[in-house]
Amino acid sequence: MVLSIEELSELETDIVNYFNENITLILTRLNRLDQMDELFDLIGYEEVEKEPFEFYKNGKIVVVGGTEVKEEVLSSIAKNMGIDKNRFEFCLDYKSVQKFEFNKLYYANQYRVVLFGPVPHSTKGKIDSSSIITEIENKPGYPRVERLIAGNELKITKTSFRNCLDKLIAEDYI
């Protein structure tokens, strides 16, 4: 489709107005979809040196995986360790894990770390990896991942949860 000079001029005005009103939304979407390189190629813009992405130290701690331990118990453990319960986001049963929107964590600096217990192999957000845990561990832009281990298996227990938080506190990570 080839446009006339008048049509191009009108389109340019419309696009400039749309971009001016929606530039933050557009760039955020492209960034979350990891399509900034495509945008830069399309418009002939040389990409600027990428700054390391920082997640807020006081950001959310997401706990994901099936467990018999109640959310209230885990919150109480965290509170006793001096961590505000409002920092936590829990997803503790298989059905909700399958529906959990992991892409909301991508380049979202309000999240600090994801603590994983056992999760189903088929979950939203898994693209190229065997599990969502591996996907998030290996893709830059996601928060740090910690696996909650009891014995030799992924398992959310009071002890595995407490030990992981102890480790993160000792590292001054949370």
Side-chain angles (χ1 to χ4, degrees), residues 63-67 90-99 118 120 156:
V63 184
V64 179
T67 184
F90 293 99
C91 185
L92 301 177
D93 66 83
Y94 279 143
K95 284 188 179 187
S96 59
V97 172
Q98 285 179 312
K99 296 175 184 174
I156 301 173

Side-chain angles (χ1 to χ4, degrees), residues 10-134:
E10 187 176 315
L11 179 61
E12 178 184 4
T13 301
D14 291 344
I15 288 175
V16 166
N17 289 336
Y18 182 79
F19 269 83
N20 282 338
E21 294 171 12
N22 298 290
I23 192 67
T24 302
L25 174 66
I26 292 165
L27 291 176
T28 301
R29 282 183 184 162
L30 290 170
N31 192 46
R32 283 185 182 260
L33 295 170
D34 195 22
Q35 295 180 331
M36 294 301 287
D37 291 332
E38 288 88 345
L39 172 66
F40 294 153
D41 289 344
L42 182 66
I43 64 174
Y45 181 79
E46 287 190 33
E47 186 174 359
V48 294
E49 186 70 27
K50 288 184 180 176
E51 295 286 326
F53 189 80
E54 294 291 327
F55 293 93
Y56 297 139
K57 183 177 179 187
N58 291 326
K60 289 267 188 189
I61 300 166
V62 181
V63 184
V64 179
T67 184
E68 298 296 317
V69 182
K70 302 289 184 214
E71 181 178 324
E72 296 78 26
V73 172
L74 297 174
S75 291
S76 177
I77 291 169
K79 180 182 176 187
N80 290 338
M81 298 177 77
I83 306 169
D84 185 343
K85 70 177 186 175
N86 293 321
R87 288 191 63 192
F88 287 88
E89 191 171 311
F90 293 99
C91 185
L92 301 177
D93 66 83
Y94 279 143
K95 284 188 179 187
S96 59
V97 172
Q98 285 179 312
K99 296 175 184 174
F100 190 83
E101 296 287 340
F102 287 97
N103 62 351
K104 76 178 183 176
L105 307 174
Y106 190 56
Y107 283 107
N109 55 3
Q110 68 268 29
Y111 292 96
R112 183 64 171 172
V113 63
V114 183
L115 310 181
F116 274 105
V119 295
H121 287 289
S122 58
T123 55
K124 285 185 176 185
K126 183 183 80 161
I127 300 169
D128 299 327
S129 303
S130 59
S131 74
I132 192 62
I133 301 171
T134 306

